[in-house]
Amino acid sequence: MDVINVGSLNLDFVYQVDHFAVPGETQSARQFDLHIGGKGLNQSIALARAGLNVAHVGAIGSDGNILLNALKEDDVDTTFVHFSEKRSGHAIIQVVKSGQNAIIIQGGANQTLTPEQLEDALNHFRPKALVLQNETNLMKETLLLAKQRGLKIFYNPAPLIPDTKKFPLHVVDVLIVNEIEAEALTSEVGPEKQLHALRKHCHPKTLCVLTMGSEGVWVLESDTPRHFDAYPVEKVVDTTGAGDTFIGFFMAGLLHGMPLDKAVKQGMKAASICITRAGAAASIPSSIEY
Ligand code: RIB
């Protein structure tokens, strides 16, 4: 197994709106769609479509078969996707005409993982790498268990939660954040300062990656941050899942032994395709079109 992803699985309730709802307002959505999502599920599907063998560790409720089936369709191993008594996690997503989104999540079953389930999965697969976000419980424990086993650890602390700074970030090999997370974690302004501050929370060798949507991607590998321009996109439809798509294809590039530049560009190219269509997992490019 190449990668274990300990991650969320969400039902995404997506509302096309004229503008993001403001306090006290009731607004009629122009359109509603139910999509599959969750940062975890999206990243597993992106990793699989980018050519890696992936096992997903997570939990769903009795309403979550659609999520399980979506992983299976992409050949993601679901042996350790558990059924919980709670409902599956879900997200309420507003999307405006420019394709920008605003998301509220409710953890549900995503928050019911046990340490035994994590250990069983790690012992069973013996993967090379692990990826983790902030939508499940036991983040700290997951990071430490992965470190004990010598895995290459990719951490995407999204959405940012106040405890993130207290996690053992020194074990992280690759940290991937967006502008909002970078600002909240560092209280610095500007990508270069933010990257240096992020590294101080981690390890001197941690590769820090800052994704900035249409402003491209910044990377701090050695001492000097480097910037990569985003691919031009004619019509942005929905940016949901773009970050997850970047992570899956970028990670796959690194784990396939690509040079950093090439892996970043692969991630950005895949994300630029993702934002031209609606939905999160549904909009991740397949290996054929990529
Ligand atoms: O990153 C996009 C994802 O964030 C959505 O699919 C939603 O479920 C939330 O987890």
Side-chain angles (χ1 to χ4, degrees):
M1 187 59 64
D2 297 319
V3 189
I4 277 200
N5 181 4
V6 178
S8 59
L9 304 108
N10 288 340
L11 296 164
D12 285 356
F13 297 93
V14 183
Y15 303 85
Q16 305 291 335
V17 291
D18 289 331
H19 55 268
F20 295 125
V22 296
E25 179 190 23
T26 301
Q27 187 188 163
S28 264
R30 282 185 283 111
Q31 190 180 322
F32 165 76
D33 295 285
L34 175 62
H35 286 288
I36 53 166
K39 294 185 198 307
L41 176 145
N42 300 337
Q43 290 179 27
S44 278
I45 289 182
L47 286 160
R49 291 186 185 172
L52 291 180
N53 290 318
V54 191
H56 193 99
V57 179
I60 51 177
S62 55
D63 54 349
N65 276 310
I66 185 177
L67 302 168
L68 191 64
N69 292 338
L71 289 178
K72 286 182 181 165
E73 269 169 36
D74 268 287
D75 291 327
V76 174
D77 191 303
T78 57
T79 310
F80 289 89
V81 174
H82 301 276
F83 275 95
S84 158
E85 288 189 351
K86 291 203 171 176
R87 295 172 69 89
S88 298
H90 75 269
I92 307 271
I93 306 181
Q94 299 176 56
V95 180
V96 293
K97 279 188 181 146
S98 68
Q100 291 303 113
N101 63 46
I103 304 180
I104 297 170
I105 55 165
Q106 206 284 322
N110 292 317
Q111 297 293 323
T112 63
L113 292 176
T114 66
E116 294 72 32
Q117 290 169 347
L118 288 177
E119 291 211 47
D120 285 352
L122 288 168
N123 293 340
H124 181 82
F125 291 115
R126 303 191 173 278
K128 290 185 218 147
L130 175 137
V131 60
L132 174 71
Q133 312 78 32
N134 267 354
E135 290 188 344
T136 48
N137 59 329
L138 301 179
M139 271 85 70
K140 185 178 153 195
E141 292 79 358
T142 306
L143 290 170
L144 291 174
L145 282 170
K147 176 68 180 171
Q148 278 166 20
R149 285 162 172 78
L151 308 189
K152 189 170 172 89
I153 302 175
F154 293 77
Y155 183 35
N156 170 222
L160 197 76
I161 52 171
D163 271 355
T164 303
K165 275 194 214 171
K166 295 187 203 146
F167 292 163
L169 299 178
H170 62 280
V171 306
V172 175
D173 295 286
V174 184
L175 182 84
I176 307 162
V177 295
N178 68 15
E179 313 96 297
I180 296 173
E181 291 136 17
E183 201 177 322
L185 267 172
T186 65
S187 309
E188 292 284 1
V189 179
E192 286 155 290
K193 282 189 182 164
Q194 288 172 347
L195 281 169
H196 283 295
L198 283 170
R199 179 173 278 163
K200 284 195 188 129
H201 288 303
C202 302
H203 184 276
K205 287 199 173 148
T206 304
L207 171 62
C208 296
V209 180
L210 171 53
T211 61
M212 300 186 62
S214 59
E215 304 290 307
V217 169
W218 282 85
V219 174
L220 181 61
E221 186 185 26
S222 44
D223 292 336
T224 313
R226 289 159 64 200
H227 178 250
F228 296 82
D229 283 333
Y231 284 81
V233 174
E234 223 165 81
K235 170 104 182 74
V236 178
V237 172
D238 181 355
T239 56
T240 314
D244 302 324
T245 302
F246 170 82
I247 290 170
F249 280 77
F250 167 64
M251 258 186 85
L254 289 186
L255 294 172
H256 279 139
M258 277 181 193
L260 179 64
D261 300 39
K262 215 172 157 202
V264 171
K265 286 178 189 160
Q266 168 163 289
M268 293 199 309
K269 176 85 192 300
S272 76
I273 297 173
C274 163
I275 63 178
T276 60
R277 42 208 192 198
S283 62
I284 298 169
S286 67
S287 53
I288 296 164
E289 64 185 313
Y290 179 74

